[in-house]
Amino acid sequence: MLLDERVDTAPRRRRARGSLSRHEILDAALHVVETRGLRLLSMPTLARQLGSGATSIYKYFPSKEALVEALATQVVQDIRQRLPPIGVRKWDVELFGYFSSFRELLATHRAYLELVAYGPAAFVHLALTEDARRRLDDGLDLLATAGLDRRAAIEAFTACLNYTRGFVLLASRATVPGRPGSAWDADLRIIDVFDADQFSHGLRLLIAGIRAEAT
Amino acid sequence: MLLDERVDTAPRRRRARGSLSRHEILDAALHVVETRGLRLLSMPTLARQLGSGATSIYKYFPSKEALVEALATQVVQDIRQRLPPIGVRKWDVELFGYFSSFRELLATHRAYLELVAYGPAAFVHLALTEDARRRLDDGLDLLATAGLDRRAAIEAFTACLNYTRGFVLLASRATVPGRPGSAWDADLRIIDVFDADQFSHGLRLLIAGIRAEAT
DNA sequence: ACCTGAACACCGTTCAAGT
DNA sequence: ACCTGAACACCGTTCAAGT
């Protein structure tokens, strides 16, 4: 569906009248974000990808900001569909597995990282769909089996969610490959590492805290 | 020290030869970021603030990116100096107070929020100074009084730090005033609110988890 | 109706020229 | 030595003109 960017000097052909669409534009934008990053997504870049004029995009999106927000919404929905459902094991095992999967999914999805780190301010709120609501209800049911009342369950689930999303966001802002390491001792440098182990330690503490609160 | 932005149409006077400095440029940049936001900080804007030509800034900073990174470093150091030291109360009380103060300091410091949300990728790593190291040592000593060994203390302190910085970062990306509220029930909407209470719940769970691990 | 290039007001940055 | 405007290659967006 995606056209390669044109490198030849011949003038491109005019696109047929009904050939452009919101879907194709979002597809091309996603491709640019995944391969080059959000900061290299410009209307001219995107137009070259589409083989169209940059101004044609404005028939489908009122502004670049609106386009990026539509893209972000799509990416968030796509990620939620890939998230495995909560299973039937003991609540603490399921909770740990659920948020570990969530973190890994986010951390390996370049478009998500680009959009959450540099994208629209509203990004954090995009999750508020009915599908997200269903996932939340599943999480609350799970925490009910741990003995938490509704209010405590909401607070606990929110804490895990905030920890996970915040961790991924921090990590995405911390990935600077060419950076010299700090001068700290080897065992202290861990404080600035954002790998899966580091994430797991914190998540385990949260779950231990929930367990303590439940009993 | 800061000049008001000029609004008159008369051509501004040429600045005297030694009158510009890194310090004055950073001061003016901080003022723009605090009052207008990082995205409205441009070289022309900054130059108007300084009453200089935009190109003069390049004698002191090789690029806008370098300027913003220098500003970010300064802001992080300033925040750390305002952070109250860890006291002598019981470890869980001190830990809660320390990270609550930290969160509030970050959340009320507009320049920090702008820079962490939209600033240089390296921002998260800027904290790695000797002063930060001293604060970390204090935290590890505190957790030692809870009965944690060195490794567990590092993991626990890191978890609290990541939770706090991640929460503030998420919150700063979620502040969209003109946004219509979600259609969810009122008691579920809490999951998308990033206030001090929400933060405290998670921090309390983390600390309860540390307590459970220590015994 | 949809697609288009020219044009506008910006931006970061370079550079030769002022003082 | 330091400060400067002109100039360059970009960007988002508007709009009148093509097809």
Side-chain angles (χ1 to χ4, degrees):
Chain A
M1 192 65 68
L2 290 170
L3 303 172
D4 281 335
E5 198 169 337
R6 298 177 63 92
V7 287
D8 51 311
T9 55
R12 71 182 161 72
R13 273 191 280 285
R14 190 186 177 91
R15 283 198 61 132
R17 269 199 278 141
S19 64
L20 218 49
S21 67
R22 274 179 68 95
H23 183 266
E24 189 186 353
I25 292 169
L26 288 176
D27 239 37
L30 181 63
H31 183 243
V32 172
V33 170
E34 274 177 344
T35 56
R36 252 156 278 210
L38 183 60
R39 279 160 304 178
L40 266 56
L41 177 72
S42 73
M43 299 308 254
T45 304
L46 184 53
R48 238 173 286 129
Q49 193 73 227
L50 291 162
S52 80
T55 56
S56 305
I57 300 164
Y58 287 85
K59 274 283 157 191
Y60 298 88
F61 298 95
S63 66
K64 185 191 177 187
E65 195 187 355
L67 190 160
V68 172
E69 189 171 322
L71 181 61
T73 303
Q74 184 185 285
V75 165
V76 166
Q77 283 172 348
D78 173 62
I79 282 179
R80 193 153 37 232
Q81 279 172 0
R82 291 172 197 249
L83 194 57
I86 292 174
V88 296
R89 290 168 296 178
K90 193 163 168 257
W91 71 270
D92 48 4
V93 177
E94 287 296 336
L95 202 61
F96 185 83
Y98 181 75
F99 283 105
S100 293
S101 300
F102 192 29
R103 187 211 67 90
E104 187 172 0
L105 208 52
L106 299 181
T108 56
H109 202 299
R110 171 151 192 205
Y112 174 87
L113 294 177
E114 290 283 331
L115 287 162
V116 76
Y118 307 107
F123 190 87
V124 172
H125 287 298
L126 290 178
L128 293 180
T129 63
E130 280 309 310
D131 185 45
R133 166 70 189 258
R134 246 172 281 124
R135 291 215 164 259
L136 173 60
D137 283 337
D138 289 347
L140 297 184
D141 289 347
L142 183 69
L143 285 168
T145 71
L148 270 62
D149 64 27
R150 182 165 182 81
R151 178 165 180 80
I154 291 175
E155 286 169 9
F157 195 82
T158 301
C160 292
L161 192 58
N162 286 344
Y163 173 70
T164 303
R165 293 206 292 173
F167 186 95
V168 171
L169 182 46
L170 267 181
S172 78
R173 305 295 262 110
T175 320
V176 187
R179 201 93 188 150
S182 88
W184 292 7
D185 301 349
D187 71 334
L188 283 183
R189 228 170 328 152
I190 195 176
I191 207 156
D192 219 51
V193 169
F194 293 96
D195 57 13
D197 272 357
Q198 197 67 229
F199 171 78
S200 297
H201 294 142
L203 183 57
R204 250 184 229 115
L205 287 179
L206 273 173
I207 292 174
I210 295 170
R211 193 182 297 116
E213 189 184 59
T215 56
Chain B
M1 194 64 71
L2 288 171
L3 304 170
D4 280 335
E5 198 168 337
R6 298 176 64 92
V7 287
D8 50 312
T9 54
R12 72 182 161 73
R13 272 192 280 286
R14 190 187 177 89
R15 285 197 62 132
R17 268 200 279 141
S19 64
L20 218 48
S21 67
R22 273 180 69 95
H23 183 266
E24 189 186 352
I25 293 170
L26 287 176
D27 240 36
L30 181 63
H31 183 243
V32 172
V33 170
E34 274 176 345
T35 56
R36 251 155 280 209
L38 183 60
R39 277 159 308 177
L40 265 55
L41 177 71
S42 73
M43 299 309 253
T45 304
L46 184 53
R48 238 173 285 127
Q49 193 75 226
L50 290 162
S52 80
T55 56
S56 305
I57 300 163
Y58 287 85
K59 273 284 159 192
Y60 298 89
F61 297 96
S63 67
K64 186 191 177 187
E65 195 187 356
L67 190 160
V68 173
E69 188 171 322
L71 181 62
T73 303
Q74 184 184 286
V75 165
V76 167
Q77 282 171 348
D78 173 62
I79 282 179
R80 192 151 39 231
Q81 278 172 1
R82 291 172 197 249
L83 193 57
I86 292 174
V88 296
R89 291 168 295 179
K90 193 164 169 256
W91 71 269
D92 48 3
V93 177
E94 287 296 337
L95 203 61
F96 185 83
Y98 181 76
F99 284 106
S100 293
S101 299
F102 192 29
R103 187 212 67 90
E104 187 172 1
L105 209 52
L106 299 181
T108 56
H109 202 299
R110 171 151 192 206
Y112 175 87
L113 295 177
E114 290 282 332
L115 287 162
V116 77
Y118 307 107
F123 190 86
V124 173
H125 286 299
L126 291 177
L128 293 179
T129 63
E130 279 310 309
D131 185 47
R133 165 70 190 257
R134 247 172 280 123
R135 291 215 165 259
L136 173 60
D137 283 336
D138 290 347
L140 297 183
D141 289 346
L142 183 69
L143 286 169
T145 71
L148 271 62
D149 64 28
R150 183 166 181 79
R151 177 165 180 78
I154 292 176
E155 286 169 9
F157 196 82
T158 301
C160 292
L161 193 59
N162 285 345
Y163 172 70
T164 303
R165 293 207 290 173
F167 186 94
V168 171
L169 183 45
L170 267 180
S172 78
R173 304 295 262 112
T175 320
V176 188
R179 201 94 189 148
S182 87
W184 293 5
D185 301 348
D187 71 333
L188 284 183
R189 213 139 15 123
I190 195 175
I191 210 159
D192 219 50
V193 169
F194 293 95
D195 59 13
D197 272 357
Q198 197 67 228
F199 171 78
S200 296
H201 294 143
L203 183 57
R204 250 184 229 116
L205 287 179
L206 272 174
I207 293 174
I210 295 170
R211 193 181 298 116
E213 189 184 58
T215 56

